[in-house]
């Protein structure tokens, strides 16, 4: 395979110089070509292309710059586009997404972060079915060191996002033993730590207010800011003060998620009930989205609007799963009616269950608190396809005739769960 090629598009040479510096450390060593304006790209491609990666600098962060990038990316879709901007561009997230960029770096960027981003972008470009090199490559598997990101969202409040996110994290960790972290992006009123009865020392605000934030690789420090639940699941909590939420921008959220997925095997993102730019920033880095609704007309209607919006934003519906929660009989709307409205179907339909309230009151996911309850069994059935083959047997065993062994294990856990509460 030939050496990768990187095109740097920026007025100022210093970005290309930094890219050359980090490229020297990569194997195979990429060749770096620089152009100072968008109109130079075509000549560069003809003379030196095709390129595996294009890195666009801050002079492209204007609306015009972004639409030029979109046009370039449409012409050369196999080239991974990375945006390296000094500040959040004065454009909507939608305009940024439309450029097709796979990564957004904030300048000044530490060499280590740039190195990782370039490495990832080269790998992504080479995993395309027909890469810019013209020959098919067989690197389609996800890049080994990145964890899987799940984001749980809904259009209306109280749908059970926090409930589902905490249980999903518990389930994945319980049956795979892999490192799992919940990021609470309900920045104003996040309740993951409350739902798990945790007393966090630090929150997402603390990691983002480090003095050396622009120099460090956050992945090396995220462990210092998470709090660990008795089950082994870790949580990066929402700010303690709701007014701190305003200081957190989409680019910050992406840095945190990137750091988390570099460090954890599973990252579960809990969100507020809205399609804010923060939530869209999380979607951008998610492998799987959950959209939740409860069994009532406003919630179901807004789920429809939410899904239409995702479609307009070109978020692939392949990665969206729907969950209907708090299903009850005789409420004037039945599950069959709702299912007809969403032909893609629901991954799980969960009943309204008292065990959920009880489990929240003791800070234990309902899957651990009442594993044999209907709500737990239904939830586990929807989650089991996420497990790697090797872990599935263990989970099935827990759902099947040997339920008691899981119960026994959980009961043995209870005393320490109680200490976590105190
Ligand atoms: N299936 C369920 N049965 C009973 N109560 C539920 C169920 N799902 C969620 N709840 C409760 O509903 C409330 C809202 O759930 P929560 O997860 O906080 O929603 P969101 O995060 O979407 O706002 C919580 O008190 C939670 O315990
Ligand atoms: Mg919530």
């Amino acid at each position: 395979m030939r050496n990768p090629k990187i095109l740097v598009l920026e007025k100022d040479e210093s970005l290309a110089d930094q890219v050359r510096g980090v490229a020297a450390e990569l194997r195979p060593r990429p060749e770096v070509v620089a152009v100072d304006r968008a109109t130079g790209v075509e000549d560069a491609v003809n003379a030196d292309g095709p390129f595996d990666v294009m890195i666009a600098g801050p002079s492209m962060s204007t609306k015009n710059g972004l639409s030029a990038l979109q046009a370039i990316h449409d012409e050369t879709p196999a080239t991974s586009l990375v945006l390296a901007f000094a500040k959040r561009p004065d454009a909507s997230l939608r305009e940024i997404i439309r450029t097709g960029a796979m990564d957004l770096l904030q300048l000044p960027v530490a060499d280590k972060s740039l190195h990782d981003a370039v490495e990832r972008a080269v790998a992504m470009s080479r995993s395309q079915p027909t890469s810019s090199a013209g020959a098919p490559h067989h690197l389609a598997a996800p890049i080994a060191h990145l964890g899987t990101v799940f984001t749980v969202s809904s259009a209306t409040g109280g749908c059970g996002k926090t409930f589902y996110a905490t249980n999903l994290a518990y389930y994945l960790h319980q049956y795979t033993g892999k490192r799992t972290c919940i990021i609470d992006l309900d920045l104003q009123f996040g309740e993951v730590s409350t739902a798990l009865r945790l007393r966090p020392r630090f929150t997402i605000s603390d990691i983002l207010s480090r003095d050396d934030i622009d120099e460090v690789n956050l992945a090396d420090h995220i462990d210092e800011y998470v709090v660990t639940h008795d089950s082994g699941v870790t949580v990066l909590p929402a700010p303690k003060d709701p007014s701190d939420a305003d200081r957190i921008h989409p680019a910050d959220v992406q840095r945190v998620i990137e750091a988390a997925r570099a460090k954890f095997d599973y990252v579960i993102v809990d969100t507020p009930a809205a399609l804010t730019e923060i939530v869209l920033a999380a979607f951008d880095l998610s492998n799987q989205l959950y959209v939740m609704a409860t069994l009532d007309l406003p919630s179901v209607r807004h789920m429809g609007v939410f899904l239409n919006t995702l479609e307009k934003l070109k978020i692939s519906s392949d990665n969206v799963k729907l969950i209907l929660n708090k299903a009850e009989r005789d409420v004037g709307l039945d599950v069959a009616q709702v299912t007809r409205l969403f032909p893609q179907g629901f991954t799980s339909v969960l009943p309204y269950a008292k065990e959920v309230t009880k489990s929240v009151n003791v800070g234990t996911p309902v899957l651990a608190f009442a594993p044999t309850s209907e709500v737990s069994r239904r939830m586990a059935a929807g989650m089991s396809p996420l497990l790697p083959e090797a872990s599935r047997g263990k989970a099935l065993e827990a759902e099947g005739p040997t339920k008691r062994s899981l119960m026994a294990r959980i009961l043995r856990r209870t005393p320490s769960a109680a200490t976590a509460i105190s």
Side-chain angles (χ1 to χ4, degrees), residues 79-110:
T79 303
S80 298
L81 174 61
V82 174
L83 308 178
F85 294 166
K87 60 177 175 54
R88 166 108 165 66
D90 183 21
S92 70
L93 195 71
R94 191 183 295 189
E95 285 166 303
I96 299 172
I97 291 171
R98 281 209 201 111
T99 63
M102 56 146 310
D103 206 349
L104 178 63
L105 299 173
Q106 183 148 18
L107 297 176
V109 62

PDB file of all heavy atoms in Angstrom, residues 79-110:
ATOM      1  N   THR A  79     -11.891  11.098   0.529  1.00  0.00           N
ATOM      2  CA  THR A  79     -10.898  11.820   1.331  1.00  0.00           C
ATOM      3  C   THR A  79     -11.523  12.202   2.674  1.00  0.00           C
ATOM      4  O   THR A  79     -12.576  12.824   2.705  1.00  0.00           O
ATOM      5  CB  THR A  79     -10.449  13.094   0.577  1.00  0.00           C
ATOM      6  OG1 THR A  79      -9.939  12.705  -0.695  1.00  0.00           O
ATOM      7  CG2 THR A  79      -9.377  13.844   1.336  1.00  0.00           C
ATOM      8  N   SER A  80     -10.899  11.800   3.770  1.00  0.00           N
ATOM      9  CA  SER A  80     -11.432  12.162   5.092  1.00  0.00           C
ATOM     10  C   SER A  80     -11.166  13.639   5.348  1.00  0.00           C
ATOM     11  O   SER A  80     -10.025  14.087   5.264  1.00  0.00           O
ATOM     12  CB  SER A  80     -10.736  11.381   6.204  1.00  0.00           C
ATOM     13  OG  SER A  80     -10.945  10.024   6.060  1.00  0.00           O
ATOM     14  N   LEU A  81     -12.206  14.357   5.670  1.00  0.00           N
ATOM     15  CA  LEU A  81     -12.034  15.791   5.916  1.00  0.00           C
ATOM     16  C   LEU A  81     -11.972  16.057   7.417  1.00  0.00           C
ATOM     17  O   LEU A  81     -12.824  15.606   8.178  1.00  0.00           O
ATOM     18  CB  LEU A  81     -13.219  16.548   5.287  1.00  0.00           C
ATOM     19  CG  LEU A  81     -13.290  18.045   5.570  1.00  0.00           C
ATOM     20  CD1 LEU A  81     -12.061  18.771   5.027  1.00  0.00           C
ATOM     21  CD2 LEU A  81     -14.559  18.640   4.952  1.00  0.00           C
ATOM     22  N   VAL A  82     -10.944  16.784   7.825  1.00  0.00           N
ATOM     23  CA  VAL A  82     -10.796  17.177   9.228  1.00  0.00           C
ATOM     24  C   VAL A  82     -10.782  18.703   9.272  1.00  0.00           C
ATOM     25  O   VAL A  82     -10.051  19.340   8.519  1.00  0.00           O
ATOM     26  CB  VAL A  82      -9.478  16.624   9.818  1.00  0.00           C
ATOM     27  CG1 VAL A  82      -9.238  17.153  11.224  1.00  0.00           C
ATOM     28  CG2 VAL A  82      -9.484  15.098   9.805  1.00  0.00           C
ATOM     29  N   LEU A  83     -11.615  19.281  10.134  1.00  0.00           N
ATOM     30  CA  LEU A  83     -11.623  20.737  10.274  1.00  0.00           C
ATOM     31  C   LEU A  83     -10.768  21.101  11.482  1.00  0.00           C
ATOM     32  O   LEU A  83     -10.922  20.511  12.552  1.00  0.00           O
ATOM     33  CB  LEU A  83     -13.060  21.236  10.485  1.00  0.00           C
ATOM     34  CG  LEU A  83     -14.104  20.779   9.464  1.00  0.00           C
ATOM     35  CD1 LEU A  83     -15.483  21.329   9.837  1.00  0.00           C
ATOM     36  CD2 LEU A  83     -13.724  21.224   8.057  1.00  0.00           C
ATOM     37  N   ALA A  84      -9.865  22.044  11.299  1.00  0.00           N
ATOM     38  CA  ALA A  84      -9.025  22.497  12.413  1.00  0.00           C
ATOM     39  C   ALA A  84      -9.249  23.994  12.549  1.00  0.00           C
ATOM     40  O   ALA A  84      -8.656  24.790  11.815  1.00  0.00           O
ATOM     41  CB  ALA A  84      -7.569  22.171  12.118  1.00  0.00           C
ATOM     42  N   PHE A  85     -10.162  24.373  13.434  1.00  0.00           N
ATOM     43  CA  PHE A  85     -10.572  25.768  13.552  1.00  0.00           C
ATOM     44  C   PHE A  85     -10.181  26.337  14.910  1.00  0.00           C
ATOM     45  O   PHE A  85     -10.144  25.623  15.897  1.00  0.00           O
ATOM     46  CB  PHE A  85     -12.094  25.885  13.381  1.00  0.00           C
ATOM     47  CG  PHE A  85     -12.591  25.534  11.987  1.00  0.00           C
ATOM     48  CD1 PHE A  85     -13.944  25.311  11.772  1.00  0.00           C
ATOM     49  CD2 PHE A  85     -11.716  25.441  10.909  1.00  0.00           C
ATOM     50  CE1 PHE A  85     -14.418  24.998  10.502  1.00  0.00           C
ATOM     51  CE2 PHE A  85     -12.173  25.118   9.631  1.00  0.00           C
ATOM     52  CZ  PHE A  85     -13.533  24.898   9.433  1.00  0.00           C
ATOM     53  N   ALA A  86      -9.934  27.650  14.918  1.00  0.00           N
ATOM     54  CA  ALA A  86      -9.511  28.279  16.168  1.00  0.00           C
ATOM     55  C   ALA A  86     -10.700  28.483  17.097  1.00  0.00           C
ATOM     56  O   ALA A  86     -10.598  28.387  18.302  1.00  0.00           O
ATOM     57  CB  ALA A  86      -8.844  29.610  15.880  1.00  0.00           C
ATOM     58  N   LYS A  87     -11.856  28.789  16.510  1.00  0.00           N
ATOM     59  CA  LYS A  87     -13.046  28.945  17.337  1.00  0.00           C
ATOM     60  C   LYS A  87     -14.206  28.302  16.616  1.00  0.00           C
ATOM     61  O   LYS A  87     -14.112  27.967  15.436  1.00  0.00           O
ATOM     62  CB  LYS A  87     -13.317  30.416  17.633  1.00  0.00           C
ATOM     63  CG  LYS A  87     -13.553  31.260  16.387  1.00  0.00           C
ATOM     64  CD  LYS A  87     -13.893  32.679  16.812  1.00  0.00           C
ATOM     65  CE  LYS A  87     -14.047  33.656  15.675  1.00  0.00           C
ATOM     66  NZ  LYS A  87     -14.966  33.344  14.616  1.00  0.00           N
ATOM     67  N   ARG A  88     -15.283  28.160  17.322  1.00  0.00           N
ATOM     68  CA  ARG A  88     -16.471  27.547  16.740  1.00  0.00           C
ATOM     69  C   ARG A  88     -16.914  28.425  15.587  1.00  0.00           C
ATOM     70  O   ARG A  88     -17.108  29.622  15.750  1.00  0.00           O
ATOM     71  CB  ARG A  88     -17.520  27.505  17.844  1.00  0.00           C
ATOM     72  CG  ARG A  88     -18.889  27.229  17.407  1.00  0.00           C
ATOM     73  CD  ARG A  88     -19.271  25.826  17.849  1.00  0.00           C
ATOM     74  NE  ARG A  88     -20.702  25.660  17.743  1.00  0.00           N
ATOM     75  CZ  ARG A  88     -21.345  25.667  16.584  1.00  0.00           C
ATOM     76  NH1 ARG A  88     -20.693  25.852  15.458  1.00  0.00           N
ATOM     77  NH2 ARG A  88     -22.646  25.497  16.565  1.00  0.00           N
ATOM     78  N   PRO A  89     -17.028  27.880  14.374  1.00  0.00           N
ATOM     79  CA  PRO A  89     -17.374  28.732  13.230  1.00  0.00           C
ATOM     80  C   PRO A  89     -18.726  29.399  13.424  1.00  0.00           C
ATOM     81  O   PRO A  89     -19.592  28.877  14.129  1.00  0.00           O
ATOM     82  CB  PRO A  89     -17.441  27.753  12.055  1.00  0.00           C
ATOM     83  CG  PRO A  89     -16.973  26.454  12.537  1.00  0.00           C
ATOM     84  CD  PRO A  89     -16.916  26.481  14.022  1.00  0.00           C
ATOM     85  N   ASP A  90     -18.855  30.543  12.778  1.00  0.00           N
ATOM     86  CA  ASP A  90     -20.099  31.288  12.875  1.00  0.00           C
ATOM     87  C   ASP A  90     -21.089  30.676  11.882  1.00  0.00           C
ATOM     88  O   ASP A  90     -21.506  31.302  10.925  1.00  0.00           O
ATOM     89  CB  ASP A  90     -19.790  32.758  12.543  1.00  0.00           C
ATOM     90  CG  ASP A  90     -21.023  33.612  12.701  1.00  0.00           C
ATOM     91  OD1 ASP A  90     -21.943  33.184  13.421  1.00  0.00           O
ATOM     92  OD2 ASP A  90     -21.067  34.696  12.082  1.00  0.00           O
ATOM     93  N   ALA A  91     -21.430  29.435  12.102  1.00  0.00           N
ATOM     94  CA  ALA A  91     -22.316  28.714  11.186  1.00  0.00           C
ATOM     95  C   ALA A  91     -23.057  27.691  12.016  1.00  0.00           C
ATOM     96  O   ALA A  91     -22.619  27.347  13.107  1.00  0.00           O
ATOM     97  CB  ALA A  91     -21.486  28.008  10.119  1.00  0.00           C
ATOM     98  N   SER A  92     -24.190  27.233  11.495  1.00  0.00           N
ATOM     99  CA  SER A  92     -24.946  26.272  12.271  1.00  0.00           C
ATOM    100  C   SER A  92     -24.241  24.915  12.202  1.00  0.00           C
ATOM    101  O   SER A  92     -23.444  24.664  11.299  1.00  0.00           O
ATOM    102  CB  SER A  92     -26.357  26.133  11.713  1.00  0.00           C
ATOM    103  OG  SER A  92     -26.302  25.486  10.473  1.00  0.00           O
ATOM    104  N   LEU A  93     -24.563  24.084  13.151  1.00  0.00           N
ATOM    105  CA  LEU A  93     -23.956  22.769  13.171  1.00  0.00           C
ATOM    106  C   LEU A  93     -24.298  22.026  11.874  1.00  0.00           C
ATOM    107  O   LEU A  93     -23.520  21.265  11.344  1.00  0.00           O
ATOM    108  CB  LEU A  93     -24.470  21.985  14.371  1.00  0.00           C
ATOM    109  CG  LEU A  93     -23.616  20.761  14.656  1.00  0.00           C
ATOM    110  CD1 LEU A  93     -22.279  21.171  15.216  1.00  0.00           C
ATOM    111  CD2 LEU A  93     -24.319  19.822  15.588  1.00  0.00           C
ATOM    112  N   ARG A  94     -25.485  22.320  11.379  1.00  0.00           N
ATOM    113  CA  ARG A  94     -25.915  21.665  10.150  1.00  0.00           C
ATOM    114  C   ARG A  94     -24.935  21.962   9.006  1.00  0.00           C
ATOM    115  O   ARG A  94     -24.562  21.098   8.244  1.00  0.00           O
ATOM    116  CB  ARG A  94     -27.315  22.175   9.807  1.00  0.00           C
ATOM    117  CG  ARG A  94     -27.977  21.377   8.721  1.00  0.00           C
ATOM    118  CD  ARG A  94     -29.307  21.958   8.376  1.00  0.00           C
ATOM    119  NE  ARG A  94     -30.244  21.877   9.494  1.00  0.00           N
ATOM    120  CZ  ARG A  94     -31.532  22.173   9.364  1.00  0.00           C
ATOM    121  NH1 ARG A  94     -32.003  22.553   8.190  1.00  0.00           N
ATOM    122  NH2 ARG A  94     -32.336  22.101  10.383  1.00  0.00           N
ATOM    123  N   GLU A  95     -24.517  23.269   8.936  1.00  0.00           N
ATOM    124  CA  GLU A  95     -23.589  23.635   7.866  1.00  0.00           C
ATOM    125  C   GLU A  95     -22.246  22.925   8.035  1.00  0.00           C
ATOM    126  O   GLU A  95     -21.587  22.579   7.064  1.00  0.00           O
ATOM    127  CB  GLU A  95     -23.398  25.158   7.834  1.00  0.00           C
ATOM    128  CG  GLU A  95     -24.600  25.861   7.229  1.00  0.00           C
ATOM    129  CD  GLU A  95     -24.600  27.361   7.491  1.00  0.00           C
ATOM    130  OE1 GLU A  95     -24.565  27.781   8.660  1.00  0.00           O
ATOM    131  OE2 GLU A  95     -24.636  28.102   6.495  1.00  0.00           O
ATOM    132  N   ILE A  96     -21.882  22.729   9.291  1.00  0.00           N
ATOM    133  CA  ILE A  96     -20.616  22.030   9.540  1.00  0.00           C
ATOM    134  C   ILE A  96     -20.759  20.558   9.149  1.00  0.00           C
ATOM    135  O   ILE A  96     -19.902  19.985   8.478  1.00  0.00           O
ATOM    136  CB  ILE A  96     -20.206  22.155  11.022  1.00  0.00           C
ATOM    137  CG1 ILE A  96     -20.020  23.629  11.375  1.00  0.00           C
ATOM    138  CG2 ILE A  96     -18.932  21.390  11.295  1.00  0.00           C
ATOM    139  CD1 ILE A  96     -19.802  23.875  12.853  1.00  0.00           C
ATOM    140  N   ILE A  97     -21.888  19.972   9.551  1.00  0.00           N
ATOM    141  CA  ILE A  97     -22.111  18.551   9.240  1.00  0.00           C
ATOM    142  C   ILE A  97     -22.117  18.331   7.730  1.00  0.00           C
ATOM    143  O   ILE A  97     -21.569  17.374   7.220  1.00  0.00           O
ATOM    144  CB  ILE A  97     -23.430  18.055   9.883  1.00  0.00           C
ATOM    145  CG1 ILE A  97     -23.287  18.006  11.410  1.00  0.00           C
ATOM    146  CG2 ILE A  97     -23.828  16.673   9.358  1.00  0.00           C
ATOM    147  CD1 ILE A  97     -24.574  17.735  12.159  1.00  0.00           C
ATOM    148  N   ARG A  98     -22.716  19.296   7.016  1.00  0.00           N
ATOM    149  CA  ARG A  98     -22.816  19.135   5.560  1.00  0.00           C
ATOM    150  C   ARG A  98     -21.470  19.072   4.855  1.00  0.00           C
ATOM    151  O   ARG A  98     -21.370  18.570   3.754  1.00  0.00           O
ATOM    152  CB  ARG A  98     -23.618  20.298   4.967  1.00  0.00           C
ATOM    153  CG  ARG A  98     -25.095  20.117   5.136  1.00  0.00           C
ATOM    154  CD  ARG A  98     -25.808  20.828   3.997  1.00  0.00           C
ATOM    155  NE  ARG A  98     -27.167  21.092   4.396  1.00  0.00           N
ATOM    156  CZ  ARG A  98     -27.653  22.301   4.642  1.00  0.00           C
ATOM    157  NH1 ARG A  98     -26.897  23.370   4.461  1.00  0.00           N
ATOM    158  NH2 ARG A  98     -28.893  22.455   5.013  1.00  0.00           N
ATOM    159  N   THR A  99     -20.432  19.623   5.480  1.00  0.00           N
ATOM    160  CA  THR A  99     -19.117  19.547   4.822  1.00  0.00           C
ATOM    161  C   THR A  99     -18.651  18.098   4.743  1.00  0.00           C
ATOM    162  O   THR A  99     -17.737  17.781   4.000  1.00  0.00           O
ATOM    163  CB  THR A  99     -18.032  20.336   5.592  1.00  0.00           C
ATOM    164  OG1 THR A  99     -17.889  19.731   6.887  1.00  0.00           O
ATOM    165  CG2 THR A  99     -18.382  21.797   5.740  1.00  0.00           C
ATOM    166  N   GLY A 100     -19.269  17.240   5.541  1.00  0.00           N
ATOM    167  CA  GLY A 100     -18.860  15.834   5.531  1.00  0.00           C
ATOM    168  C   GLY A 100     -17.631  15.596   6.389  1.00  0.00           C
ATOM    169  O   GLY A 100     -17.020  14.529   6.336  1.00  0.00           O
ATOM    170  N   ALA A 101     -17.256  16.595   7.198  1.00  0.00           N
ATOM    171  CA  ALA A 101     -16.062  16.434   8.037  1.00  0.00           C
ATOM    172  C   ALA A 101     -16.242  15.268   9.001  1.00  0.00           C
ATOM    173  O   ALA A 101     -17.332  15.042   9.498  1.00  0.00           O
ATOM    174  CB  ALA A 101     -15.800  17.712   8.822  1.00  0.00           C
ATOM    175  N   MET A 102     -15.166  14.534   9.214  1.00  0.00           N
ATOM    176  CA  MET A 102     -15.247  13.423  10.157  1.00  0.00           C
ATOM    177  C   MET A 102     -14.683  13.802  11.522  1.00  0.00           C
ATOM    178  O   MET A 102     -14.817  13.062  12.477  1.00  0.00           O
ATOM    179  CB  MET A 102     -14.513  12.199   9.635  1.00  0.00           C
ATOM    180  CG  MET A 102     -13.077  12.485   9.302  1.00  0.00           C
ATOM    181  SD  MET A 102     -11.941  11.140   9.590  1.00  0.00           S
ATOM    182  CE  MET A 102     -12.290  10.639  11.210  1.00  0.00           C
ATOM    183  N   ASP A 103     -14.039  14.962  11.581  1.00  0.00           N
ATOM    184  CA  ASP A 103     -13.463  15.341  12.865  1.00  0.00           C
ATOM    185  C   ASP A 103     -13.331  16.860  12.914  1.00  0.00           C
ATOM    186  O   ASP A 103     -13.206  17.507  11.875  1.00  0.00           O
ATOM    187  CB  ASP A 103     -12.083  14.685  13.018  1.00  0.00           C
ATOM    188  CG  ASP A 103     -11.694  14.492  14.476  1.00  0.00           C
ATOM    189  OD1 ASP A 103     -12.396  15.043  15.351  1.00  0.00           O
ATOM    190  OD2 ASP A 103     -10.700  13.811  14.743  1.00  0.00           O
ATOM    191  N   LEU A 104     -13.410  17.386  14.129  1.00  0.00           N
ATOM    192  CA  LEU A 104     -13.292  18.827  14.306  1.00  0.00           C
ATOM    193  C   LEU A 104     -12.271  19.055  15.419  1.00  0.00           C
ATOM    194  O   LEU A 104     -12.467  18.600  16.543  1.00  0.00           O
ATOM    195  CB  LEU A 104     -14.668  19.390  14.689  1.00  0.00           C
ATOM    196  CG  LEU A 104     -14.796  20.878  14.963  1.00  0.00           C
ATOM    197  CD1 LEU A 104     -14.460  21.693  13.717  1.00  0.00           C
ATOM    198  CD2 LEU A 104     -16.224  21.219  15.390  1.00  0.00           C
ATOM    199  N   LEU A 105     -11.187  19.730  15.078  1.00  0.00           N
ATOM    200  CA  LEU A 105     -10.151  19.998  16.075  1.00  0.00           C
ATOM    201  C   LEU A 105     -10.181  21.472  16.427  1.00  0.00           C
ATOM    202  O   LEU A 105     -10.429  22.308  15.569  1.00  0.00           O
ATOM    203  CB  LEU A 105      -8.764  19.681  15.511  1.00  0.00           C
ATOM    204  CG  LEU A 105      -8.513  18.252  15.082  1.00  0.00           C
ATOM    205  CD1 LEU A 105      -7.162  18.154  14.397  1.00  0.00           C
ATOM    206  CD2 LEU A 105      -8.546  17.341  16.308  1.00  0.00           C
ATOM    207  N   GLN A 106      -9.916  21.756  17.677  1.00  0.00           N
ATOM    208  CA  GLN A 106      -9.870  23.164  18.065  1.00  0.00           C
ATOM    209  C   GLN A 106      -8.420  23.613  18.170  1.00  0.00           C
ATOM    210  O   GLN A 106      -7.624  22.975  18.869  1.00  0.00           O
ATOM    211  CB  GLN A 106     -10.594  23.345  19.395  1.00  0.00           C
ATOM    212  CG  GLN A 106     -10.628  24.804  19.804  1.00  0.00           C
ATOM    213  CD  GLN A 106     -11.882  25.138  20.570  1.00  0.00           C
ATOM    214  OE1 GLN A 106     -12.575  24.265  21.083  1.00  0.00           O
ATOM    215  NE2 GLN A 106     -12.178  26.414  20.674  1.00  0.00           N
ATOM    216  N   LEU A 107      -8.088  24.689  17.456  1.00  0.00           N
ATOM    217  CA  LEU A 107      -6.712  25.199  17.488  1.00  0.00           C
ATOM    218  C   LEU A 107      -6.544  26.193  18.634  1.00  0.00           C
ATOM    219  O   LEU A 107      -7.496  26.898  18.949  1.00  0.00           O
ATOM    220  CB  LEU A 107      -6.388  25.895  16.165  1.00  0.00           C
ATOM    221  CG  LEU A 107      -6.409  25.005  14.918  1.00  0.00           C
ATOM    222  CD1 LEU A 107      -6.161  25.842  13.671  1.00  0.00           C
ATOM    223  CD2 LEU A 107      -5.377  23.897  15.024  1.00  0.00           C
ATOM    224  N   PRO A 108      -5.406  26.302  19.269  1.00  0.00           N
ATOM    225  CA  PRO A 108      -4.223  25.478  19.012  1.00  0.00           C
ATOM    226  C   PRO A 108      -4.452  24.042  19.489  1.00  0.00           C
ATOM    227  O   PRO A 108      -5.121  23.835  20.497  1.00  0.00           O
ATOM    228  CB  PRO A 108      -3.130  26.167  19.853  1.00  0.00           C
ATOM    229  CG  PRO A 108      -3.866  26.899  20.910  1.00  0.00           C
ATOM    230  CD  PRO A 108      -5.186  27.269  20.342  1.00  0.00           C
ATOM    231  N   VAL A 109      -3.891  23.105  18.753  1.00  0.00           N
ATOM    232  CA  VAL A 109      -4.119  21.714  19.099  1.00  0.00           C
ATOM    233  C   VAL A 109      -2.793  21.085  19.536  1.00  0.00           C
ATOM    234  O   VAL A 109      -1.736  21.406  18.988  1.00  0.00           O
ATOM    235  CB  VAL A 109      -4.755  20.968  17.890  1.00  0.00           C
ATOM    236  CG1 VAL A 109      -3.847  20.969  16.672  1.00  0.00           C
ATOM    237  CG2 VAL A 109      -5.150  19.548  18.249  1.00  0.00           C
ATOM    238  N   ALA A 110      -2.869  20.239  20.553  1.00  0.00           N
ATOM    239  CA  ALA A 110      -1.656  19.569  21.025  1.00  0.00           C
ATOM    240  C   ALA A 110      -1.205  18.577  19.954  1.00  0.00           C
ATOM    241  O   ALA A 110      -2.035  18.004  19.250  1.00  0.00           O
ATOM    242  CB  ALA A 110      -1.949  18.835  22.333  1.00  0.00           C
TER     243      ALA A 110
END
